[in-house]
Amino acid sequence: MKVLQKNTIYLNIIIYSVIILLIFPLAVMFMWSFARSWPWPYLLPQDFGLRGWKYFFNPTSKALFTLFLSVLLSLIVTIVTLVLSIPAAKSLAFYNFRGKAFFEIFILAPLIVPPIAVAMGIHVQFIKLGLADSFLGVVLVHLIPSLPYGIRILTNVFQAIGEKIELQARVLGANWWQAFIFVTLPLIAPGLVSVGSLIFIISFSQYFLTFLIGGGQVVTFPMLLLPYIQSGDRMMAGVFSSVFVLTALLFFIIVEKTIKSHYSSREYFYF
Amino acid sequence: MVSIELKNITKSFNNNKVIDNISFSVEKGEMVSILGPSGCGKTTTLKIIAGLVKPDSGEIFFNGGSVLHTPVEKRGGVLVFQDFLLFPHLNVEENIGFGLKMAGVKKNERKKVVAEMLKLVQLEGYEEKYPRELSGGQKQRVAFARALAVKPKVLLLDEPFSNLDTRLRETMREFTCEIQRKLGITTILVTHDKEEALMSSDRIIVLLDGKIKQSGTPTEVYFKPACLRVAKFFGHKNFIEGIVRNGVLSTAMGNYPIQGIENGDYQIMIRHEEIKLKKGTENSAGIVERSWFAGERTYYIVKVKDFSLHCIEKQNKIFAEGEKVDVVIDFNEGVFFKKENYCR
């Protein structure tokens, strides 16, 4: 009993140190967003101000509008990725077809080949097709780093639930879309949440691809954020970084809550 | 309820013939077992009947009408898989009502059928439970109830008892047979367990390497196996080579008079319960090599010359290992296999 208590104390120490280590930089960042002056060697800011936050909420800065646009873009990318990934992952998980091994590697290629190399070539094509400098073009180019994760992870999810459960639904009289809606979709929902969150973050934090294909016409949140970090305006960088983190966090919480509350009494695991 | 007929069904996976030109029929309300070792193509056969797998060639008839091009969900053959496959996100009531919901049956109506089914499988009051809260046997019952709720034309059971422990397996087998008889539903059971097939079915189809080797009532296939491999599959172990010449059988153990068998070379199968052991003398030919006491009976291996014979004796005859015994074999009770019936 004593040993057990001692162990839990050690365990708690480890857990809290990790949490503090993770939260500490965020806390510093948050403090910077209010810090008018924070010279070395002081532990806390010496003077506080609201210049950063005032600028952020000022309509002329267009920061809120950009944030909204960015979230919308990432949401669209997430949904498109999921819609494309579900059938692709299902066929990779369950069916045998010619060239399957090739496709499996081919899908991961964007993760192996540097995105710059791919995006350069795509940029030329997009200019020819008139997709450069457009919202649609940016959505399409964001699919490049998103799809490998979507397909790869969902393939594993499908493998975990297995093919037979859908066959069982079919045998009981469900046609293919009923089997998908009533059996497959609820079973892969937890997987969809994790994949969706990941894709959202990938798209939301994308700087280079947006910059290249959007050509400055499509401005997303990271494109506002980066200049402040580069120019060393730490107060503004603090404000924008905090908003960036809070947006992502809020997205996670909303998605988790809506899906989880739907299944709260129906907790289950992949089997 | 329908009668089912399969005609010249063939199926290959990657150039590997899993099912090789099989034909059989199942009468209305009959319970038929497809018996064979794992990998003999029996599950594929079930999937073909259900419509989950398309055969390369052949025809399937329900009540005389072809269903080859009827999609799975309209065919009405309900498969119960080995691992039950209850929907983990639905409770017992929703699981059982699933097929009805898909068919567009109204909620009140569904509730009535579900209650009826739960009563049938003796699980009243379990409506709100989730599959993870159920024991193996209960899951099995829910799986049955779910299959029966849609009033299937044919019930297809794929090794339904092999995930249960021995005692539960017996109970569930009796339970299933009882329901099957009560509802008179056409049922095809797939199993690798010979005892399960013998005890639960009206007819047994023995499937080896994708071919039907024998089909008949349990007593027929047990007492008169059509070939050597079927015999071996049923656990028969005593095979003796012999030559018949004009009513005399010559074996390495000696010569015996025999009736009604034409001249030729044979492998003769003797069921182990057909061999009688008697207390021997110094001159007796048999020596008890091994014995296993199993309560109501005892198993022996008795060595006669070069033969090791497997025998069963009732408990009132107990012989020690190494004891000399007289072995009485009535070869007229044996099953004679000609060379062409070895079917290796």
Side-chain angles (χ1 to χ4, degrees):
Chain A
M1 201 59 203
K2 262 248 163 84
V3 181
L4 204 77
Q5 274 172 348
K6 220 175 182 180
N7 276 346
T8 48
I9 289 169
Y10 286 137
L11 194 67
N12 280 337
I13 289 174
I14 293 172
I15 288 173
Y16 285 116
S17 346
V18 170
I19 290 175
I20 288 168
L21 268 173
L22 289 175
I23 286 188
F24 191 66
L26 294 182
V28 171
M29 186 183 76
F30 196 65
M31 277 196 283
W32 260 117
S33 73
F34 294 100
R36 188 136 59 187
S37 83
W38 192 350
W40 190 85
Y42 295 103
L43 200 58
L44 290 170
Q46 295 304 294
D47 196 9
F48 292 93
L50 285 173
R51 175 176 68 95
W53 288 103
K54 270 184 186 153
Y55 176 78
F56 179 79
F57 286 109
N58 189 340
T60 53
S61 74
K62 284 205 171 172
L64 272 176
F65 175 73
T66 309
L67 178 65
F68 169 74
L69 193 78
S70 231
V71 169
L72 184 73
L73 174 78
S74 299
L75 271 180
I76 293 173
V77 170
T78 306
I79 289 165
V80 173
T81 305
L82 290 181
V83 168
L84 292 177
S85 297
I86 289 171
K90 196 181 166 198
S91 51
L92 281 178
F94 296 148
Y95 311 130
N96 276 316
F97 48 87
R98 201 180 279 264
K100 180 176 171 177
F102 169 75
F103 275 110
E104 269 173 346
I105 294 172
F106 189 68
I107 280 164
L108 291 181
L111 298 183
I112 302 160
V113 182
I116 300 178
V118 183
M120 288 302 197
I122 284 182
H123 192 203
V124 178
Q125 295 304 316
F126 272 20
I127 290 172
K128 282 185 191 163
L129 293 169
L131 283 169
D133 302 353
S134 75
F135 190 78
L136 180 65
V138 174
V139 169
L140 286 178
V141 84
H142 276 198
L143 292 179
I144 294 173
S146 306
L147 276 174
Y149 291 106
I151 296 174
R152 192 64 238 160
I153 297 172
L154 283 180
T155 303
N156 291 343
V157 170
F158 273 112
Q159 276 165 348
I161 66 164
E163 186 186 14
K164 275 163 92 186
I165 194 106
E166 199 173 301
L167 296 183
Q168 179 72 75
R170 293 295 303 279
V171 159
L172 287 166
N175 56 33
W176 69 268
W177 68 264
Q178 281 176 320
F180 179 77
I181 299 282
F182 292 108
V183 174
T184 309
L185 203 57
L187 288 181
I188 64 169
L192 288 180
V193 170
S194 6
V195 175
S197 310
L198 182 68
I199 305 292
F200 183 86
I201 277 296
I202 290 175
S203 167
F204 193 62
S205 55
Q206 203 59 241
Y207 175 77
F208 174 74
L209 291 178
T210 322
F211 185 63
L212 187 72
I213 302 296
Q217 300 298 310
V218 182
V219 178
T220 59
F221 203 66
M223 294 173 73
L224 291 186
L225 164 63
L226 228 73
Y228 290 118
I229 294 175
Q230 272 174 340
S231 64
D233 188 340
R234 291 193 177 168
M235 190 184 212
M236 295 298 285
V239 170
F240 278 82
S241 301
S242 301
V243 172
F244 187 94
V245 171
L246 285 175
T247 310
L249 202 65
L250 207 67
F251 177 78
F252 284 161
I253 291 170
I254 291 171
V255 171
E256 287 273 312
K257 281 281 175 226
T258 46
I259 297 285
K260 281 270 164 63
S261 69
H262 189 54
Y263 291 107
S264 61
S265 60
R266 317 178 159 200
E267 204 178 306
Y268 57 86
F269 301 97
Y270 294 128
F271 45 97
Chain B
M1 241 178 299
V2 297
S3 63
I4 293 168
E5 193 181 355
L6 269 71
K7 251 191 191 163
N8 307 104
I9 295 284
T10 300
K11 178 74 196 173
S12 311
F13 290 117
N14 305 326
N15 295 325
N16 182 17
K17 254 192 191 167
V18 181
I19 292 175
D20 191 359
N21 195 22
I22 66 170
S23 307
F24 66 87
S25 56
V26 180
E27 300 294 312
K28 267 180 204 179
E30 200 180 19
M31 174 114 167
V32 168
S33 294
I34 301 177
L35 177 66
S38 53
C40 73
K42 47 195 180 357
T43 301
T44 310
T45 311
L46 271 202
K47 285 187 173 172
I48 286 175
I49 297 171
L52 291 172
V53 171
K54 260 206 161 36
D56 297 337
S57 64
E59 271 286 358
I60 308 162
F61 301 99
F62 280 18
N63 272 346
S66 173
V67 291
L68 199 59
H69 301 292
T70 313
V72 199
E73 65 266 23
K74 301 228 170 74
R75 203 176 282 192
V78 175
L79 193 61
V80 177
F81 286 99
Q82 186 174 355
D83 28 12
F84 319 137
L85 293 176
L86 299 179
F87 304 125
H89 59 296
L90 302 178
N91 64 23
V92 168
E93 185 179 353
E94 292 163 328
N95 259 291
I96 297 176
F98 182 84
L100 299 170
K101 188 177 170 187
M102 295 303 111
V105 177
K106 291 248 160 50
K107 201 166 182 193
N108 314 346
E109 200 71 15
R110 277 205 315 258
K111 236 186 161 90
K112 237 191 275 168
V113 178
V114 170
E116 212 174 284
M117 286 300 139
L118 281 175
K119 201 174 165 203
L120 186 72
V121 299
Q122 296 159 18
L123 279 179
E124 290 117 313
Y126 279 75
E127 286 90 343
E128 301 295 318
K129 296 258 188 207
Y130 280 87
R132 72 195 128 84
E133 299 170 302
L134 302 176
S135 69
Q138 289 168 338
K139 279 185 195 166
Q140 165 101 73
R141 284 165 199 233
V142 174
F144 268 126
R146 181 177 63 176
L148 292 171
V150 296
K151 304 246 179 309
K153 289 178 181 156
V154 50
L155 191 60
L156 306 163
L157 308 175
D158 184 11
E159 307 252 8
F161 312 117
S162 56
N163 268 1
L164 306 172
D165 58 67
T166 327
R167 191 177 290 180
L168 195 56
R169 196 180 304 177
E170 275 169 36
T171 339
M172 281 311 297
R173 190 198 308 144
E174 283 165 27
F175 181 74
T176 313
C177 291
E178 203 177 295
I179 288 182
Q180 192 269 336
R181 229 158 274 166
K182 203 193 279 177
L183 302 179
I185 193 164
T186 312
T187 306
I188 301 177
L189 170 81
V190 149
T191 178
H192 65 268
D193 182 342
K194 57 183 191 314
E195 209 164 292
E196 200 168 287
L198 289 171
M199 286 173 78
S200 54
S201 37
D202 300 321
R203 212 146 50 81
I204 295 178
I205 292 167
V206 184
L207 199 62
L208 294 173
D209 300 333
K211 292 192 185 92
I212 293 179
K213 293 294 179 195
Q214 191 173 7
S215 140
T217 63
T219 46
E220 273 169 17
V221 290
Y222 185 77
F223 289 119
K224 294 260 176 273
C227 71
L228 214 58
R229 279 191 57 200
V230 173
K232 282 184 178 160
F233 189 74
F234 272 95
H236 299 299
K237 290 198 179 101
N238 300 317
F239 297 95
I240 299 162
E241 274 180 45
I243 302 167
V244 175
R245 287 276 175 276
N246 305 324
V248 178
L249 167 72
S250 316
T251 70
M253 285 198 294
N255 294 340
Y256 301 88
I258 199 88
Q259 284 164 358
I261 304 286
E262 56 184 86
N263 293 352
D265 291 3
Y266 291 98
Q267 283 261 9
I268 303 134
M269 178 198 102
I270 307 290
R271 273 174 285 114
H272 43 20
E273 62 268 27
E274 288 297 328
I275 300 176
K276 305 264 179 336
L277 300 179
K278 279 185 186 157
K279 218 166 181 58
T281 59
E282 266 311 298
N283 305 328
S284 297
I287 299 171
V288 175
E289 201 171 52
R290 294 289 312 273
S291 71
W292 294 271
F293 178 68
E296 77 269 33
R297 59 193 183 277
T298 310
Y299 297 93
Y300 294 101
I301 292 182
V302 177
K303 196 137 189 164
V304 181
K305 290 181 183 165
D306 284 339
F307 292 99
S308 291
L309 298 172
H310 295 250
C311 336
I312 293 182
E313 282 292 345
K314 299 255 173 57
Q315 62 193 155
N316 53 359
K317 286 195 203 166
I318 292 180
F319 302 99
E321 288 182 8
E323 200 177 329
K324 289 232 166 191
V325 286
D326 282 327
V327 180
V328 182
I329 302 176
D330 185 357
F331 277 96
N332 284 309
E333 291 291 323
V335 180
F336 286 66
F337 294 110
K338 279 194 164 178
K339 277 240 157 64
E340 59 265 31
N341 283 339
Y342 292 0
C343 68
R344 290 232 163 82

